Amino acid sequence: MTEILSDSAADHALGGNWTRSGAVISREVELASFPQAIEVVDRVAVLAEAADHHPDIDIRWRTLTFRLSTHSAGGLTAKDFSLAAEIDSVLADL
């Protein structure tokens, strides 16, 4: 089983683009167009499948909200922050 991070460890691991609310980290981003938003979702889906760790993704026209938590562990783990960094990389590549 994956180890749940303490609040202080989770806060320390939090990147500047992500916020934490309890056992969930989230990031909202507005893209240039709806097709670009869907392209980002497609790219994140490939990464999530490879990691066997899937974010909750809310799509509102060109605005995407990503939420991560390791539900099977009951909190935030290193897997969440690893996938968050990969999502950040996808967004930086735009």
Side-chain angles (χ1 to χ4, degrees), residues 24-48:
V24 177
I25 59 172
S26 61
R27 178 175 181 186
E28 183 175 286
V29 61
E30 185 174 317
L31 286 301
S33 65
F34 183 71
Q36 186 180 48
I38 297 304
E39 176 188 342
V40 168
V41 170
D42 286 343
R43 291 175 62 189
V44 169
V46 171
L47 296 171

Side-chain angles (χ1 to χ4, degrees), residues 5 7-21 24-28 68 76-78 80-89:
L5 300 175
D7 285 342
S8 61
D11 288 339
H12 181 71
L14 201 58
N17 295 315
W18 293 81
T19 59
R20 183 173 78 88
S21 178
V24 177
I25 59 172
S26 61
R27 178 175 181 186
E28 183 175 286
L68 290 162
L76 289 167
T77 68
D80 300 304
F81 294 96
S82 177
L83 187 55
E86 290 189 81
I87 293 169
D88 287 344
S89 292

